[in-house]
């Protein structure tokens, strides 16, 4: 038997985990203040009608080469875009603007509804800005960007065809054991939704490209999950599994703020 609560409890394995989250919040706030002074951001832009259906946009000083869209994690039930603003730093150095949406959290929304909101956010951003799109998402966000590459993602094909790269950071692609966790009091996953919302149970859309990147010091379940989309290769998808050695579930995504990090390099190439 496996203790599935422990298998997914990242905070229990990271020393001073709450300090990481506090630092994200303060660093993100300072970053937004600096970008506002430079007139280099637009905050709380709506993409739909619900209170959390907004995104923050950060843009570089020079010519914009395209748009990176980062989808935050928090097990679909915590956090919002305000924790992650500073992670735009890496892509901005490549002259890519960065959009960071929030979405309705469980239990106010089921995972399939969150998937639909993320698709709507990406579609709205694509309608407003021309050029190529790169997707990145962390943890639950890694699940959500992988869902955008599935055959039933809901993204219009003209939007999907502009996605040149996707990086799922510590993503969750196989949801079958989440109903056995206490989190499911909020997530309300049943057998049907586990099947329909697990990217591993879908075929990828044509020419899908995804890099699955995990920290070497993460929980065994996240290391397992990082490899499960390899089966997409039989459908012609370009799938690569990457380990960022020495990183845990929090430090692995923090690397997006460094233009020279492995994560940023993988995303921007």
């Amino acid at each position: 038997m496996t203790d599935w609560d422990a298998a997914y409890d990242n905070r229990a394995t990271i020393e001073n985990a709450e300090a990481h989250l506090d630092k994200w919040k303060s660093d993100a706030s300072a970053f937004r203040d600096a970008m506002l002074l430079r007139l280099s951001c637009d905050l709380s832009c709506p993409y739909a009608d619900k209170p959390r259906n907004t995104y923050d946009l950060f843009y570089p000083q020079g010519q914009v080469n395209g748009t990176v869209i980062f989808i935050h994690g928090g097990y679909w039930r915590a956090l919002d875009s305000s924790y992650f603003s500073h992670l735009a730093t890496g892509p901005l150095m490549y002259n890519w603007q960065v959009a960071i949406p929030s979405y309705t959290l469980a239990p106010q929304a089921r995972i399939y509804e969150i998937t639909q909101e993320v698709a709507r956010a990406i579609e709205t951003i694509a309608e407003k800005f021309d050029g190529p799109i790169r997707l990145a998402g962390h943890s639950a966000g890694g699940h959500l960007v992988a869902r955008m590459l599935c055959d039933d993602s809901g993204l219009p094909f003209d939007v999907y065809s502009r996605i040149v790269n996707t990086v799922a950071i510590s993503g969750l692609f196989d949801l079958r054991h989440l109903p056995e966790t206490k989190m499911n009091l909020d997530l309300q996953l049943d057998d049907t939704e586990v099947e329909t919302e697990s990217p591993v149970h879908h075929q990828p859309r044509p020419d899908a490209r995804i890099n699955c990147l995990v920290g070497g010091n993460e929980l065994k379940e996240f290391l397992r999950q990082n490899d499960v989309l390899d089966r997409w290769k039989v459908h012609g998808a370009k799938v690569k599994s990457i380990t960022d050695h020495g990183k845990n579930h929090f430090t692995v995504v923090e690397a997006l703020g460094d233009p020279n990090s492995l994560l940023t390099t993988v995303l921007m190439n």
Side-chain angles (χ1 to χ4, degrees):
M1 297 292 291
T2 299
D3 181 347
W4 289 107
D5 285 305
Y8 288 105
D9 191 355
N10 291 295
R11 297 190 190 190
T13 65
I14 298 172
E15 187 176 358
N16 297 320
E18 295 304 320
H20 278 273
L21 296 175
D22 291 343
K23 191 172 189 304
W24 289 359
K25 189 78 170 177
S26 61
D27 287 353
S29 178
F31 179 83
R32 288 193 302 276
D33 289 345
M35 294 297 279
L36 282 167
L37 285 174
R38 291 167 50 185
L39 303 178
S40 295
C41 65
D42 296 311
L43 304 179
S44 299
C45 306
Y47 67 82
D49 297 331
K50 295 180 180 179
R52 291 175 59 96
N53 291 166
T54 63
Y55 66 92
D56 295 337
L57 180 74
F58 305 97
Y59 35 93
Q61 294 296 296
Q63 178 180 347
V64 176
N65 292 327
T67 304
V68 169
I69 303 175
F70 175 81
I71 308 300
H72 73 81
Y75 280 129
W76 306 273
R77 57 202 275 271
L79 307 181
D80 57 45
S81 61
S82 70
Y83 283 80
F84 302 96
S85 310
H86 57 301
L87 300 188
T89 302
L92 287 173
M93 295 300 291
Y94 288 78
N95 283 336
W96 282 64
Q97 64 183 7
V98 180
I100 307 179
S102 294
Y103 47 82
T104 306
L105 299 177
Q108 282 69 43
R110 300 280 293 268
I111 289 179
Y112 78 88
E113 294 172 309
I114 296 171
T115 297
Q116 293 169 357
E117 287 189 10
V118 169
R120 181 58 186 151
I122 294 169
E123 182 179 359
T124 299
I125 293 164
E127 288 171 350
K128 188 168 183 179
F129 304 106
D130 295 330
I133 297 168
R134 298 177 188 268
L135 301 181
H138 176 237
S139 199
H143 160 267
L144 292 164
V145 296
R147 284 290 285 119
M148 296 303 103
L149 306 186
C150 295
D151 51 4
D152 69 337
S153 72
L155 273 183
F157 189 78
D158 63 329
V159 175
Y160 168 77
S161 64
R162 290 166 54 190
I163 300 172
V164 296
N165 193 16
T166 298
V167 180
I169 311 154
S170 308
L172 295 163
F173 314 116
D174 174 5
L175 308 187
R176 67 183 133 156
H177 295 299
L178 287 172
E180 301 173 60
T181 68
K182 295 183 178 68
M183 287 188 291
N184 207 45
L185 293 172
D186 288 337
L187 301 178
Q188 303 174 59
L189 279 165
D190 55 26
D191 290 344
T192 298
E193 194 174 7
V194 164
E195 181 77 17
T196 59
E197 286 304 312
S198 291
V200 71
H201 295 316
H202 287 274
Q203 289 191 21
R205 297 181 77 165
D207 301 316
R209 177 189 177 194
I210 186 166
N211 292 283
C212 302
L213 187 147
V214 70
N217 292 346
E218 297 209 45
L219 291 165
K220 289 182 180 179
E221 174 63 5
F222 284 86
L223 298 175
R224 181 191 74 83
Q225 293 264 356
N226 204 58
D227 294 330
V228 299
L229 289 188
D230 277 357
R231 68 188 65 183
W232 276 11
K233 292 177 180 177
V234 301
H235 303 292
K238 296 178 181 178
V239 181
K240 189 172 183 180
S241 299
I242 302 166
T243 300
D244 197 349
H245 296 284
K247 297 290 198 304
N248 62 40
H249 191 72
F250 288 174
T251 56
V252 69
V253 69
E254 292 171 358
L256 192 58
D258 176 1
N260 299 311
S261 70
L262 174 62
L263 170 57
T264 305
T265 301
V266 169
L267 176 62
M268 303 310 300
N269 288 324

